Amino acid sequence: MTSTDMDSAGSRPWTVRGRVKRQDFTRKVLPASQIGAIDVPLPLMQRIWSVSLVRRIVILAIIAALWEGYARWLDNPLSFPTLGETLTSLWADLSNGVLPDRLQVSLRILLMGYGLGIVLAALLTTLAVSMRFATDVLSTLTAMFNPMPAIALLPLALLWFGLGTPSLIFVIVHSVLWAVALNTHAGFLAVSNTLRMAGQTFGLRGMRLVTGILIPAAFPAILSGLKIGWAFAWRTLVAAELVFGVSAGQGGLGWYIFEKRNLLETSGVFAGLITVMIVGLFVEGVIFQTIERLTVRRWGMHGGS
């Protein structure tokens, strides 16, 4: 080993077995006043394009342009009306109150079925986290009924409850129950034992442990289940109204679409479908986004944030 001295630049030669391998250099840190501006503002167009709402509006504008162009090229209003004709039909039925009435009927039935499904899912998952036998029951029922499409239960609903609102609520509950229960139970199981023991140390047992520890800790999974259950319930309701909503005289959005189809008013059919999509966008983009912002993101539990 040989010893070396520092050179004038502050570097220190590195010696191994008497040979110089390389030198370490020490950089001088410049003061902030000499570095210059680091935070450079983005160009205006890049800032506008970074807004999610703007990008979605552009996507919708492209779809609208393609729709209008294809419909004009096809020139067959009975098969594929133009966007202008569809919007005219939509505005006419909104103005005369037909579509709001149909929408009100559908949302009333949806809320009843959705709420009942959530209550049943909460009861099942609460029992499942409290008793092992209830866990087996929930796992078995979920494996049996979750893959089953709700529309397949319509004949049974018709036999058991007859034509009317109870049959629609039955199939909606089936759509909501298993999706919410499965996600909620999975969220409960993902809660750490440390958190559970911390709650038990403070004397929390049974329902108090569920409401005080498990639900807040598993809320991202619960919210995900609520979104899935809402989507299943909405599409099931419209499909059920298309099948026997006319006979039951329910008069929901599905019935509106069915009526327009029978009258060969294709623009009205598209108007009903647009209403279904607008409701879906509003619930997903406004209601659930607000809940997520006030809970999951605020608590720092969002994986993407």
Side-chain angles (χ1 to χ4, degrees), residues 55-126:
R55 296 196 301 271
R56 294 189 180 191
I57 290 175
V58 171
I59 293 172
L60 291 177
I62 293 173
I63 294 174
L66 292 175
W67 181 348
E68 186 72 21
Y70 177 72
R72 289 182 180 277
W73 174 80
L74 189 63
D75 194 20
N76 186 357
L78 186 61
S79 174
F80 199 89
T82 63
L83 178 60
E85 293 170 343
T86 300
L87 293 179
T88 301
S89 178
L90 176 65
W91 176 251
D93 284 341
L94 283 175
S95 302
N96 58 26
V98 173
L99 260 179
D101 290 342
R102 301 288 192 267
L103 181 60
Q104 183 182 2
V105 172
S106 292
L107 291 181
R108 179 172 55 82
I109 298 173
L110 177 72
L111 290 178
M112 288 191 291
Y114 189 63
L116 183 57
I118 291 175
V119 171
L120 293 176
L123 291 176
L124 279 177
T125 49
T126 301

Side-chain angles (χ1 to χ4, degrees), residues 149-151 154 168 171-172 175 231-241:
I151 205 74
L154 276 178
L168 296 174
V171 294
I172 293 173
S175 302
F232 284 177
W234 186 228
R235 72 181 65 167
T236 299
L237 173 63
V238 175
E241 288 178 340

Side-chain angles (χ1 to χ4, degrees), residues 174-234:
H174 170 77
S175 302
V176 176
L177 172 60
W178 309 116
V180 176
L182 188 64
N183 278 271
T184 304
H185 190 243
F188 285 173
L189 294 180
V191 177
S192 67
N193 288 329
T194 304
L195 209 55
R196 292 171 185 265
M197 288 187 290
Q200 292 169 353
T201 302
F202 285 96
L204 299 180
R205 297 287 189 280
M207 184 59 72
R208 293 180 63 197
L209 180 66
V210 172
T211 56
I213 298 295
L214 296 183
I215 290 180
F219 197 75
I222 296 173
L223 186 60
S224 176
L226 292 176
K227 289 180 181 178
I228 296 173
W230 139 255
F232 284 177
W234 186 228

Side-chain angles (χ1 to χ4, degrees), residues 257-288:
I257 295 172
F258 192 84
E259 279 184 325
K260 294 298 181 183
R261 179 261 181 190
N262 286 339
L263 296 174
L264 297 180
E265 296 181 8
T266 312
S267 59
V269 174
F270 278 95
L273 295 176
I274 288 177
T275 306
V276 172
M277 287 186 285
I278 289 175
V279 172
L281 289 173
F282 177 79
V283 173
E284 180 71 26
V286 177
I287 296 179
F288 279 120

